Amino acid sequence: MSFDLRGIPLDATAVRTLAAKGLEYRLVDTDDVAAATAWIEADFRGFHHARPRQVSIDYDLGVIAERRVQGVYDSSIHDPSIPVATVSSWPTGLSVPGGRSVDAWAVSSVTVSPTHRRRGIARALMLAELENARAVGAALAVLTASEATIYGRFGYAPAARAATVHVDRRRTHWIGPDAPGRVHFVDAADLRRIAPALARRAVARTPGEIDRWPGILDRALGLVDPDGEHSRRRRVVRYDDEHGNPQGFAVFQVVREPNEPGVVEFDFLAAATDDAERALWRFLVEQDFVTGVRGLLRSVDEPLPWLLEDPRAISVSDVADHLWVRVLDPVGALASRRYGTAGTLAIEVSDPQGHAAGRFELVVDERGRAEVERTDGAGATAAGSTPGIRLGVHELGAIFLGGVRPSVLARAGRLTPSTPRTAELADRMFLGQRTPHLSIWF
Ligand SMILES: CC(C)(COP(=O)(O)OP(=O)(O)OC[C@H]1O[C@@H](n2cnc3c(N)ncnc32)[C@H](O)[C@@H]1OP(=O)(O)O)[C@@H](O)C(=O)NCCC(=O)NCCS
């Protein structure tokens, strides 16, 4: 997808709804440093962060320059230049089962000032983002959520989970295969040159991951504020295969009190191959003078327990919903991914906001490739007696990447299969080769 993000007109419904509350919904010109800085300050305040230092503002100015940035303004407040609500959004690829990607619309920085909460401002912004997503032809919208109770009402559903993985160093004995290549400590700025390509390959391997933007790599590598304490702590390692070609990298730090063994903590591991993934894990879990390892936003389905003699060396905490998906165009979304088995399934979707509502037929061939057709409306072919499922847009988002089985939602009474066998068929069809996982916040 490529277009002028600022060229999308402001959603007229949001303009009207907010104007009726005495508020102005505005596109923020990110070249206007004063306006963009005020927006960034509101965003920081909205998430209860400390006031941003100049280095953070400069970093964010770079990031939001590539995004559509909107604010809500109240001319009656003490400083009307600071928006009372913020939101930003941008087109992104979302990895789907089968090593492919679908055009998605990422939504971030949703904040409403505590002075203006619960007046329907977030609702107006979120509904407008669905219109923006449609305007650019995105098949679905995606976000990560601070609280799990906010976004279901707008059709989003948890579609990929993440967890904190802890490894007890004393019980770590590697039994996995030796990787044929080597792990090297590398300079972060050097690695930055090849990081986008490595990250792209890593992202493509896992459904649920979204494209990395330049700023997130700068920050992960500690290049944003290189003299800051946070950046100075970060160490970067790269895995090169047996031919010397880089295949992955990890960024970690050792958190420790003086004279105490530390804990290896990492939040960025990009592996383009299985060898790279194993070698980087092994490097991280085999450090000395540490009590263990803490991997943040890891998959709930890591291969690690199969690589250590004692799988109980590993514990998992903070398992949570992480990526939320809101399907807008079921045909585009369903056709974008590969499926676990051949079959034909009628899918009837209800959607309170209308976008995804309709009847569709999903036909998957022996190679897992899908053809999707709308079967209601003018010119549609009738689905006839095809076995099918009925579900809401929320449930469609939940099963889309294979993160939950349709039969589980049927047991929860949230999806209706035409027969029990149909739920089994849907399970087999929607199953992906890899458990969906998103390893960043956005
Ligand atoms: C979340 C937030 C943006 C909501 O803003 P708001 O303008 O008060 O929300 P609205 O008045 O438009 O409420 C919309 C609906 O969401 C519900 N809602 C809003 N915030 C909620 C929350 N934190 N938990 C549960 N429900 C919430 C409202 O009750 C309302 O429900 P209804 O329409 O079904 O009656 C605001 O509370 C906020 O800025 N929180 C801190 C930052 C944050 O967590 N942002 C989310 C980033 S992922």
Side-chain angles (χ1 to χ4, degrees), residues 46-47 110-112 118-123 146-147 149 151 153:
F47 282 108
V110 178
T111 74
V112 172
R118 301 305 183 271
R119 296 184 199 175
I121 298 178
R123 168 171 286 277
S146 59
E147 296 185 85
T149 44
Y151 296 109
R153 59 178 51 76

Side-chain angles (χ1 to χ4, degrees), residues 261-309:
V263 173
V264 174
E265 186 175 278
F266 72 98
D267 58 7
F268 210 99
L269 188 159
T273 64
D274 290 343
D275 280 345
E277 184 177 13
R278 284 195 299 267
L280 290 166
W281 260 119
R282 183 171 189 171
F283 171 86
L284 292 163
V285 301
E286 285 192 341
Q287 307 258 339
D288 291 323
F289 194 39
V290 300
T291 57
V293 178
R294 187 160 53 232
L296 308 177
L297 294 182
R298 300 310 310 163
S299 171
V300 294
D301 199 16
E302 291 284 344
L304 189 65
W306 304 96
L307 294 167
L308 301 183
E309 181 184 42

Side-chain angles (χ1 to χ4, degrees), residues 387-388 416-424:
T416 311
S418 50
T419 68
R421 298 280 312 258
T422 311
E424 278 173 37

Side-chain angles (χ1 to χ4, degrees), residues 118 198 245 253 277:
R118 301 305 183 271
L198 281 176
N245 297 320
Q253 57 182 322
E277 184 177 13

Side-chain angles (χ1 to χ4, degrees), residues 236-258:
V236 183
V237 287
R238 186 187 72 209
Y239 172 75
D240 294 352
D241 65 18
E242 63 274 38
H243 309 295
N245 297 320
Q247 301 292 359
F249 65 96
V251 188
F252 71 99
Q253 57 182 322
V254 178
V255 184
R256 58 183 285 263
E257 299 297 324

Side-chain angles (χ1 to χ4, degrees), residues 43 45-48 84-86 107-114 116-126 143-151 153-154 441-442:
D43 184 21
R45 190 179 64 191
F47 282 108
H48 309 312
V84 296
T86 60
V107 180
S108 184
S109 294
V110 178
T111 74
V112 172
S113 165
H116 288 66
R117 64 194 282 278
R118 301 305 183 271
R119 296 184 199 175
I121 298 178
R123 168 171 286 277
L125 296 181
M126 292 310 297
L143 51 77
T144 52
S146 59
E147 296 185 85
T149 44
I150 304 172
Y151 296 109
R153 59 178 51 76
F154 307 116
W441 284 101
F442 67 90

